[in-house]
Short mmCIF file of all heavy atoms in Angstrom, two decimals:
data_model
loop_
_atom_site.label_atom_id
_atom_site.label_comp_id
_atom_site.label_asym_id
_atom_site.label_seq_id
_atom_site.Cartn_x
_atom_site.Cartn_y
_atom_site.Cartn_z
N VAL A 43 24.54 -8.09 -2.20
CA VAL A 43 24.80 -6.81 -1.64
C VAL A 43 23.50 -6.29 -0.91
O VAL A 43 22.51 -6.04 -1.64
CB VAL A 43 25.37 -5.69 -2.68
CG1 VAL A 43 25.77 -4.49 -1.94
CG2 VAL A 43 26.43 -6.30 -3.47
N TYR A 72 23.39 4.83 0.84
CA TYR A 72 23.38 5.96 -0.06
C TYR A 72 23.38 7.29 0.72
O TYR A 72 24.04 8.27 0.48
CB TYR A 72 22.20 5.95 -1.06
CG TYR A 72 22.35 6.64 -2.34
CD1 TYR A 72 23.17 6.24 -3.30
CD2 TYR A 72 21.65 7.89 -2.46
CE1 TYR A 72 23.36 6.91 -4.40
CE2 TYR A 72 21.83 8.52 -3.62
CZ TYR A 72 22.57 8.08 -4.73
OH TYR A 72 22.67 8.78 -5.81
N ARG A 75 26.38 8.72 2.41
CA ARG A 75 27.49 9.08 1.52
C ARG A 75 27.28 10.50 1.12
O ARG A 75 28.27 11.16 0.59
CB ARG A 75 27.63 8.21 0.31
CG ARG A 75 28.40 6.97 0.66
CD ARG A 75 28.56 6.00 -0.49
NE ARG A 75 28.31 6.61 -1.68
CZ ARG A 75 27.76 5.96 -2.78
NH1 ARG A 75 27.41 4.74 -2.67
NH2 ARG A 75 27.63 6.61 -3.92
N VAL A 83 32.81 4.65 0.26
CA VAL A 83 31.92 3.54 0.60
C VAL A 83 32.49 2.83 1.81
O VAL A 83 33.76 2.64 1.90
CB VAL A 83 31.81 2.53 -0.56
CG1 VAL A 83 30.85 1.39 -0.29
CG2 VAL A 83 31.31 3.34 -1.84
N GLU A 102 24.12 -7.36 -7.35
CA GLU A 102 23.69 -5.99 -6.88
C GLU A 102 22.26 -5.77 -7.39
O GLU A 102 21.86 -6.34 -8.37
CB GLU A 102 24.66 -4.91 -7.56
CG GLU A 102 25.53 -4.21 -6.61
CD GLU A 102 24.90 -3.28 -5.66
OE1 GLU A 102 23.74 -3.49 -5.25
OE2 GLU A 102 25.63 -2.31 -5.31
N ASP A 103 21.54 -4.86 -6.65
CA ASP A 103 20.20 -4.48 -7.20
C ASP A 103 20.28 -3.47 -8.26
O ASP A 103 19.66 -3.57 -9.29
CB ASP A 103 19.36 -3.94 -5.92
CG ASP A 103 20.09 -2.95 -5.08
OD1 ASP A 103 21.34 -2.62 -5.50
OD2 ASP A 103 19.52 -2.23 -4.23
N ILE A 104 21.11 -2.40 -7.99
CA ILE A 104 21.16 -1.33 -8.97
C ILE A 104 22.52 -0.59 -8.96
O ILE A 104 23.21 -0.48 -7.85
CB ILE A 104 20.02 -0.25 -8.58
CG1 ILE A 104 19.96 0.92 -9.69
CG2 ILE A 104 20.24 0.34 -7.21
CD1 ILE A 104 18.59 1.63 -9.60
N VAL A 105 23.02 -0.34 -10.13
CA VAL A 105 24.22 0.46 -10.24
C VAL A 105 23.88 1.87 -10.67
O VAL A 105 23.20 2.11 -11.72
CB VAL A 105 25.25 -0.24 -11.15
CG1 VAL A 105 26.45 0.82 -11.45
CG2 VAL A 105 25.60 -1.46 -10.65
N ASP A 106 24.19 2.81 -9.85
CA ASP A 106 23.81 4.33 -10.05
C ASP A 106 25.19 5.01 -10.56
O ASP A 106 25.45 5.05 -11.73
CB ASP A 106 23.15 4.81 -8.82
CG ASP A 106 22.70 6.14 -8.84
OD1 ASP A 106 22.27 6.62 -9.92
OD2 ASP A 106 22.57 6.83 -7.74
N THR A 107 25.87 5.56 -9.61
CA THR A 107 27.09 6.22 -9.94
C THR A 107 28.18 5.14 -10.29
O THR A 107 29.13 5.43 -10.95
CB THR A 107 27.66 7.01 -8.75
OG1 THR A 107 27.96 6.15 -7.64
CG2 THR A 107 26.65 8.18 -8.48
N GLY A 108 28.12 3.92 -9.76
CA GLY A 108 29.07 2.95 -9.94
C GLY A 108 30.00 2.91 -8.77
O GLY A 108 30.87 1.92 -8.74
N TYR A 109 30.05 3.78 -7.77
CA TYR A 109 31.03 3.76 -6.70
C TYR A 109 30.96 2.53 -5.81
O TYR A 109 31.99 1.87 -5.49
CB TYR A 109 30.76 4.98 -5.79
CG TYR A 109 31.25 6.33 -6.32
CD1 TYR A 109 30.42 7.43 -6.18
CD2 TYR A 109 32.48 6.55 -6.91
CE1 TYR A 109 30.69 8.72 -6.80
CE2 TYR A 109 32.85 7.82 -7.38
CZ TYR A 109 31.96 8.85 -7.33
OH TYR A 109 32.30 10.03 -7.88
N THR A 110 29.74 2.11 -5.52
CA THR A 110 29.66 0.96 -4.69
C THR A 110 30.19 -0.29 -5.34
O THR A 110 30.97 -1.09 -4.83
CB THR A 110 28.09 0.68 -4.25
OG1 THR A 110 27.59 1.91 -3.74
CG2 THR A 110 27.95 -0.48 -3.35
N LEU A 111 29.80 -0.57 -6.55
CA LEU A 111 30.26 -1.81 -7.24
C LEU A 111 31.77 -1.71 -7.48
O LEU A 111 32.44 -2.76 -7.28
CB LEU A 111 29.55 -1.99 -8.53
CG LEU A 111 29.54 -3.36 -9.17
CD1 LEU A 111 29.21 -4.49 -8.19
CD2 LEU A 111 28.85 -3.50 -10.46
N LYS A 134 21.65 2.62 -14.10
CA LYS A 134 21.08 4.05 -14.61
C LYS A 134 22.29 4.63 -15.39
O LYS A 134 23.20 5.23 -14.74
CB LYS A 134 20.84 4.89 -13.42
CG LYS A 134 19.68 4.59 -12.61
CD LYS A 134 19.45 5.65 -11.50
CE LYS A 134 18.29 5.23 -10.70
NZ LYS A 134 18.31 6.07 -9.33
N ARG A 137 23.72 8.24 -14.98
CA ARG A 137 24.27 8.65 -13.65
C ARG A 137 25.68 8.15 -13.49
O ARG A 137 26.32 8.43 -12.39
CB ARG A 137 23.43 8.05 -12.50
CG ARG A 137 21.99 8.62 -12.57
CD ARG A 137 21.79 9.63 -11.58
NE ARG A 137 22.23 9.29 -10.30
CZ ARG A 137 22.48 10.21 -9.31
NH1 ARG A 137 22.32 11.41 -9.53
NH2 ARG A 137 22.95 9.72 -8.15
N ILE A 151 17.80 1.58 -16.95
CA ILE A 151 16.57 2.39 -16.69
C ILE A 151 16.99 3.89 -16.73
O ILE A 151 18.13 4.29 -16.58
CB ILE A 151 16.05 2.13 -15.29
CG1 ILE A 151 17.00 2.35 -14.12
CG2 ILE A 151 15.45 0.79 -15.32
CD1 ILE A 151 16.36 2.34 -12.74
N VAL A 154 15.58 7.93 -12.60
CA VAL A 154 14.46 8.11 -11.68
C VAL A 154 14.75 7.19 -10.50
O VAL A 154 15.38 6.32 -10.46
CB VAL A 154 13.09 7.67 -12.27
CG1 VAL A 154 12.74 8.61 -13.41
CG2 VAL A 154 13.12 6.25 -12.81
N TRP A 155 14.06 7.65 -9.35
CA TRP A 155 14.19 6.83 -8.03
C TRP A 155 13.21 5.66 -8.19
O TRP A 155 12.08 5.88 -8.54
CB TRP A 155 13.89 7.60 -6.91
CG TRP A 155 14.28 6.83 -5.63
CD1 TRP A 155 13.45 6.11 -4.81
CD2 TRP A 155 15.58 6.64 -5.13
NE1 TRP A 155 14.20 5.45 -3.91
CE2 TRP A 155 15.49 5.79 -3.96
CE3 TRP A 155 16.83 7.23 -5.47
CZ2 TRP A 155 16.58 5.42 -3.25
CZ3 TRP A 155 17.96 6.88 -4.73
CH2 TRP A 155 17.83 6.10 -3.62
N VAL A 156 13.75 4.45 -8.04
CA VAL A 156 12.92 3.19 -8.21
C VAL A 156 12.88 2.51 -6.96
O VAL A 156 13.81 2.42 -6.06
CB VAL A 156 13.53 2.34 -9.30
CG1 VAL A 156 13.21 2.86 -10.68
CG2 VAL A 156 14.98 1.94 -9.20
N VAL A 157 11.67 1.83 -6.74
CA VAL A 157 11.46 0.95 -5.53
C VAL A 157 10.79 -0.27 -5.99
O VAL A 157 10.34 -0.48 -7.04
CB VAL A 157 10.42 1.73 -4.54
CG1 VAL A 157 11.04 3.07 -4.03
CG2 VAL A 157 9.06 2.05 -5.18
N LEU A 161 14.21 -2.99 -3.59
CA LEU A 161 14.60 -1.64 -3.51
C LEU A 161 13.61 -0.85 -2.63
O LEU A 161 12.44 -0.94 -2.80
CB LEU A 161 14.75 -0.95 -4.89
CG LEU A 161 15.96 -1.58 -5.66
CD1 LEU A 161 15.50 -1.63 -7.17
CD2 LEU A 161 17.13 -0.69 -5.43
N ASP A 162 14.21 0.17 -1.92
CA ASP A 162 13.24 0.92 -0.92
C ASP A 162 13.35 2.46 -1.12
O ASP A 162 14.22 2.99 -1.91
CB ASP A 162 13.79 0.64 0.51
CG ASP A 162 15.08 1.42 0.83
OD1 ASP A 162 16.08 1.34 -0.01
OD2 ASP A 162 15.11 2.12 1.86
N TYR A 163 12.43 3.10 -0.48
CA TYR A 163 12.56 4.42 -0.18
C TYR A 163 12.27 4.69 1.27
O TYR A 163 11.24 4.21 1.80
CB TYR A 163 11.47 5.25 -1.05
CG TYR A 163 11.39 6.83 -0.62
CD1 TYR A 163 12.33 7.59 -1.04
CD2 TYR A 163 10.44 7.24 0.24
CE1 TYR A 163 12.33 8.86 -0.67
CE2 TYR A 163 10.39 8.54 0.55
CZ TYR A 163 11.43 9.40 0.16
OH TYR A 163 11.42 10.78 0.39
P1 5GP B 201 26.15 3.76 -6.57
O1 5GP B 201 27.16 3.52 -5.63
O2 5GP B 201 26.21 2.96 -7.88
O3 5GP B 201 25.85 5.15 -6.84
O4 5GP B 201 24.76 3.35 -5.82
C1 5GP B 201 24.31 2.10 -5.65
C2 5GP B 201 23.34 2.03 -4.45
O5 5GP B 201 22.54 3.16 -4.37
C3 5GP B 201 22.41 0.89 -4.68
O6 5GP B 201 22.87 -0.34 -4.16
C4 5GP B 201 21.16 1.41 -3.96
O7 5GP B 201 21.24 1.15 -2.56
C5 5GP B 201 21.25 2.93 -4.11
N1 5GP B 201 20.35 3.36 -5.24
C6 5GP B 201 20.78 4.04 -6.24
N2 5GP B 201 19.67 4.44 -7.12
C7 5GP B 201 18.61 3.83 -6.40
C8 5GP B 201 17.13 3.98 -6.71
O8 5GP B 201 16.70 4.51 -7.74
N3 5GP B 201 16.39 3.35 -5.79
C9 5GP B 201 16.79 2.79 -4.71
N4 5GP B 201 15.89 2.28 -3.91
N5 5GP B 201 18.15 2.73 -4.38
C10 5GP B 201 18.99 3.35 -5.29
#
Side-chain angles (χ1 to χ4, degrees):
V43 186
Y72 202 72
R75 273 181 25 213
V83 178
E102 254 285 30
D103 51 355
I104 184 164
V105 173
D106 184 29
T107 61
Y109 287 132
T110 304
L111 194 57
K134 293 181 184 170
R137 298 258 312 161
I151 60 165
V154 290
W155 190 261
V156 287
V157 296
L161 290 146
D162 75 313
Y163 174 75

